Amino acid sequence: MTPDVIPFFDEETFTASFVVVDPTTKRCAIIDSVLDFDYASGRTDFHSADEIVDYITTNALTVDWVLETHVHADHLSAAPYLQEKLGGKIGIGENITVVQDTFGKVFNEGTEFQRDGSQFDQLFVDGDTFKVGNIEAKVMHTPGHTPACLTYVIGEAAFVGDTLFMPDFGTARADFPGGSAEALYHSIQKLFTLPDETRVFVGHDYKAPGRDEFAWETTIGEQKSRNKHVGQGCAADEFIKMRETRDAELSMPRLIVPSLQINMRAGHMPPEDENGDVFLKLPVNKL
């Protein structure tokens, strides 16, 4: 079955969020939402999330799921806000526990921070199935960028998060703690077993040189033939060498410090202090 896919693009973080709709039942899923955050002031805003809320309410849709493809390091999740406004279950991959353990230590969260994924309503494993309305959805574990990365195949549409970008931009970095260029390569080969006509929706776009417009939709066939990093039957050792060399030159994402602390909590802020204030930690020489 073919879902309707409505994109919402945040140019501040170059993030593509999606509302995925079963047109028959008008039930939907929200994938990789954005909570706006001004790092200089520490202030949050909901205008990106409210665009999604407005679309869903205007079109009388019912939210089944608020899904994360992984723990994002470049933007904050608006999942709790959307759940409060619209309902739905918040889901992510079961390896969120690995991410929570890793970054719980980086941010010295202490024993009060639960590392069992209990902040989320659903922890998916490879091969799990669920429904968006009447449309069958399947979960594919596609680690490499992070150990918890998932691809959601909803009908004939695959939502790959940061595993693949548009063919002219390539693939995601794999140098975060728990990441692996080798695992990323094999995850992409797993995606390439999907039918060539499968629509692929990527989680970010940065406008490859020579392209004027942002883009977020391609196909498995286009990725296999045209992806600049891994297309045309690229061998594993060639890809791993390219990816590791390229990653060594990249700086950390601008919002990695707030993003990780919040997203590993399913989009919730850290606990308030005794005065009711919320603080984020800045680890020195840890990332």
Side-chain angles (χ1 to χ4, degrees):
M1 299 179 68
T2 302
D4 293 334
V5 180
I6 300 89
F8 296 82
F9 192 75
D10 175 48
E11 291 194 29
E12 187 69 26
T13 61
F14 305 102
T15 301
S17 306
F18 302 99
V19 174
V20 188
V21 183
D22 173 9
T24 302
T25 64
K26 301 191 76 173
R27 304 188 76 89
C28 68
I30 303 166
I31 299 178
D32 289 345
S33 62
V34 172
L35 173 68
D36 304 293
F37 183 73
D38 181 71
Y39 208 163
S41 66
R43 290 191 175 275
T44 59
D45 190 87
F46 299 101
H47 69 264
S48 292
D50 282 337
E51 290 182 12
I52 293 175
V53 172
D54 291 346
Y55 180 86
I56 287 172
T57 55
T58 299
N59 290 277
L61 304 178
T62 300
V63 177
D64 288 336
W65 295 97
V66 182
L67 301 173
E68 305 287 357
T69 55
H70 63 293
V71 173
H72 312 280
D74 41 26
H75 72 273
L76 282 61
S77 170
Y81 177 79
L82 292 169
Q83 185 180 56
E84 179 184 354
K85 295 286 186 181
L86 302 167
K89 294 181 178 180
I90 300 176
I92 200 168
E94 67 166 351
N95 276 11
I96 177 62
T97 57
V98 177
V99 176
Q100 288 175 329
D101 185 62
T102 298
F103 289 104
K105 294 173 182 174
V106 169
F107 293 106
N108 193 28
E109 292 293 350
T111 57
E112 65 274 12
F113 172 58
Q114 297 299 309
R115 294 162 168 82
D116 58 1
S118 57
Q119 301 88 342
F120 298 81
D121 300 312
Q122 180 72 44
L123 302 183
F124 292 108
V125 301
D126 186 58
D128 274 352
T129 59
F130 60 98
K131 283 191 173 184
V132 177
N134 290 331
I135 299 179
E136 294 282 349
K138 180 181 178 181
V139 174
M140 299 176 71
H141 183 216
T142 47
H145 175 60
T146 80
C149 286
L150 295 183
T151 292
Y152 299 103
V153 183
I154 303 175
E156 46 69 74
F159 299 85
V160 300
D162 292 11
T163 297
L164 287 167
F165 295 137
M166 293 300 290
D168 58 359
F169 202 86
T171 59
R173 66 192 298 165
D175 61 328
F176 295 144
S180 163
E182 181 178 3
L184 181 62
Y185 178 84
H186 291 297
S187 291
I188 293 169
Q189 299 310 305
K190 186 177 179 179
L191 290 173
F192 284 178
T193 67
L194 293 170
D196 282 358
E197 62 272 20
T198 303
R199 300 161 71 195
V200 173
F201 293 89
V202 302
H204 293 282
D205 187 53
Y206 304 96
K207 281 189 190 173
R211 175 153 53 85
D212 295 329
E213 302 294 330
F214 289 112
W216 42 78
E217 181 177 356
T218 176
T219 67
I220 288 294
E222 289 174 350
Q223 292 282 9
K224 287 163 68 174
S225 64
R226 295 181 46 234
N227 187 286
K228 66 181 291 185
H229 290 166
V230 76
Q232 297 288 333
C234 176
D237 56 351
E238 178 184 349
F239 173 81
I240 293 167
K241 180 179 179 181
M242 177 282 301
R243 189 69 266 170
E244 291 180 346
T245 300
R246 181 176 172 82
D247 289 349
E249 300 171 349
L250 298 177
S251 57
M252 286 289 106
R254 180 174 62 89
L255 294 180
I256 187 170
V257 168
S259 294
L260 290 175
Q261 291 177 79
I262 291 165
N263 295 340
M264 69 182 183
R265 292 178 163 90
H268 293 284
M269 294 290 170
E272 297 175 350
D273 71 2
E274 62 273 12
N275 295 323
D277 296 318
V278 173
F279 292 89
L280 296 169
K281 298 176 181 178
L282 177 61
V284 177
N285 297 326
K286 283 282 194 176
L287 295 171

